[in-house]
Amino acid sequence: MRFPHPLPLLTALLLIGCDPGPESPGPTPDESPRETQSIAAPDPALADSTLAAWRQGEQWLSGARTACAEMHERLDAFLAQPAQGSLAATREAWHQCHTRWHHLEPLLTLGESSPGLFGDLREIAFQVDAHPIQPGYLDGLENYPYSGIVNDITLSINAQTLREQHGLTDEADVALGLHALEFLLWDEQGDRPVSDFEPRTSAGDDPMNAERTVDQLPNNRRRALVRLISQLLQDDLALLEQHWQSTSGRLPATYRQLSPSSRLPLLRDALRSLLRERLPRELAQLEEPELAHNAFAGQSLSVVISALAGTDQLLNAGDPAVVQWLVPEPTRTDWQPQWQTLSRNLNEADEIDPQGLSEQLRSLGQALSTPTPEFAPAP
């Protein structure tokens, strides 16, 4: 389910941050922040740790924005002089951008585990990383060569059009974000030719193009479309980074206004959801190529690896580290070595058993069901 806004969501969030306006919906009864009974007054150490977890998001967004800006530069260079080498460089930069974005998964999952407080995160993720997509919504396919926005000359290629078309009738109607770019760069078979991006000055031999102006020719519309989607991605990431760093924006204000002992169970619920549901679902989809996260670009396992890298950074954020609050003793004595072994094996193994990895993740996530400790963690 989508949550449409008359303005792009990130712009709307920033405006809301400047003008309090009506209060945003609170949590549903089932997801109200739970206070830790033993902490009657805010614990400075817990406050520092839980704020460090949120600030970790700033670092991830900065990394994602830098990587995606590099991709945009590579794309501009490719469009200026289309060649196989510059297309390959753009594709590699796309992978880097995508990987950096998924470091943010531990905090993005707050949108699923606590939608009453952080539901906007789901819409943000839909703008940046919507998938799976209906590829024919964007461009022609082998059996339907004249489909999609590229070939529909009744649609102007501009920011307003793309934002209106994104998720228009279905969540697979994707016109924005990383996976719209993925399809345009790789095509349905994963091998789009450079010639699809070469500028055209005439219709050539295709009778379907005979009545089109130069700007309406598919190659030229595809060039305009891929560049605009990339530019809008840069804009959205810049706005999100600005919002995340703001003290008055709706998302950071919601998080900061919670007591430290209320933030902790929200973080625990998000990580449990990530390890027990979200990532095992990604692993299961590896068995179905059309549903795999990077259905056209490949390397779909990178989503899981990146999310776990982000999780590791979140667990080690703060002093004392967040993990010391989330996984109390004696559970942590066994949990941390298991976590470290999984992370090491995932980075070093030549092959991954998706089912076995899912079982490990669910087991680690189950430990996060342990109640919050009634005392501060030992140094």
Side-chain angles (χ1 to χ4, degrees):
M1 179 179 178
R2 295 196 58 235
F3 307 93
H5 293 266
L7 292 170
L9 176 67
L10 296 172
T11 301
L13 284 174
L14 285 169
L15 291 175
I16 290 168
C18 298
D19 177 8
E23 292 185 6
S24 58
T28 62
D30 290 339
E31 62 186 66
S32 298
R34 290 159 286 176
E35 299 290 337
T36 304
Q37 295 179 357
S38 63
I39 304 177
D43 184 317
L46 179 58
D48 289 346
S49 294
T50 54
L51 280 177
W54 183 264
R55 287 194 295 266
Q56 185 65 50
E58 298 175 17
Q59 297 180 37
W60 291 328
L61 282 168
S62 177
R65 194 160 73 88
T66 299
C68 293
E70 174 68 19
M71 176 194 68
H72 192 65
E73 291 179 6
R74 297 284 182 90
L75 177 63
D76 272 347
F78 166 63
L79 293 175
Q81 292 186 310
Q84 193 61 48
S86 53
L87 176 57
T90 304
R91 288 170 171 171
E92 177 57 32
W94 179 92
H95 277 295
Q96 293 299 318
C97 170
H98 186 254
T99 293
R100 291 285 188 169
W101 168 255
H102 281 282
H103 285 161
L104 199 64
E105 283 293 341
L107 294 179
L108 289 176
T109 307
L110 285 167
E112 297 180 16
S113 60
S114 302
L117 291 168
F118 297 102
D120 287 330
L121 287 170
R122 292 182 296 175
E123 180 69 7
I124 289 168
F126 183 73
Q127 287 187 203
V128 174
D129 192 56
H131 73 284
I133 77 169
Q134 175 54 258
Y137 190 68
L138 283 167
D139 202 349
L141 304 174
E142 183 177 3
N143 295 326
Y144 301 94
Y146 301 106
S147 66
I149 294 172
V150 164
N151 293 286
D152 185 355
I153 61 174
T154 66
L155 292 175
S156 299
I157 295 179
N158 56 50
Q160 180 179 348
T161 295
L162 293 191
R163 294 201 185 278
E164 290 174 349
Q165 293 296 311
H166 188 60
L168 183 64
T169 63
D170 187 88
E171 289 189 348
D173 294 345
V174 174
L176 295 171
L178 285 158
H179 295 286
L181 285 172
E182 178 197 5
F183 174 66
L184 290 172
L185 290 173
W186 271 272
D187 204 353
E188 60 184 316
Q189 303 300 326
D191 58 355
R192 186 183 292 279
V194 172
S195 58
D196 277 7
F197 292 101
E198 292 172 347
R200 295 286 187 253
T201 57
S202 65
D205 298 330
D206 190 339
M208 292 294 292
N209 295 332
E211 303 299 321
R212 298 189 180 208
T213 66
V214 169
D215 287 345
Q216 293 172 342
L217 295 175
N219 267 39
N220 296 338
R221 283 177 62 86
R222 185 177 298 110
R223 286 166 55 85
L225 181 62
V226 71
R227 191 184 187 285
L228 179 58
I229 293 173
S230 180
Q231 182 59 62
L232 292 176
L233 176 63
Q234 313 312 306
D235 296 345
D236 286 348
L237 289 175
L239 280 172
L240 180 55
E241 184 180 20
Q242 180 184 350
H243 178 78
W244 207 279
Q245 293 172 343
S246 168
T247 57
S248 60
R250 187 160 74 194
L251 290 171
T254 296
Y255 187 84
R256 290 172 183 272
Q257 287 167 6
L258 296 170
S259 68
S261 55
S262 294
R263 297 172 194 153
L264 196 61
L266 294 180
L267 291 171
R268 186 181 63 233
D269 289 349
L271 291 177
R272 185 172 62 240
S273 177
L274 181 67
L275 296 176
R276 297 189 63 192
E277 300 171 16
R278 170 88 169 82
L279 296 184
R281 186 165 63 242
E282 290 285 353
L283 289 166
Q285 289 173 346
L286 293 176
E287 305 298 326
E288 303 178 62
E290 70 279 3
L291 295 178
H293 195 102
N294 300 345
F296 313 106
Q299 301 183 29
S300 291
L301 186 62
S302 65
V303 174
V304 176
I305 295 173
S306 181
L308 290 176
T311 301
D312 189 66
Q313 292 169 15
L314 184 87
L315 291 171
N316 288 289
D319 184 15
V322 172
V323 67
Q324 295 187 46
W325 299 96
L326 289 175
V327 188
E329 293 289 7
T331 305
R332 191 167 68 248
T333 301
D334 294 328
W335 192 91
Q336 278 191 295
Q338 292 176 33
W339 173 261
Q340 292 165 358
T341 298
L342 179 142
S343 299
R344 183 171 59 252
N345 290 345
L346 193 58
N347 288 312
E348 296 176 358
D350 294 329
E351 294 185 8
I352 298 295
D353 172 17
Q355 184 174 353
L357 179 56
S358 291
E359 292 174 358
Q360 288 179 281
L361 293 174
R362 290 192 180 100
S363 176
L364 288 164
Q366 180 61 35
L368 294 173
S369 300
T370 305
T372 304
E374 298 184 358
F375 47 85

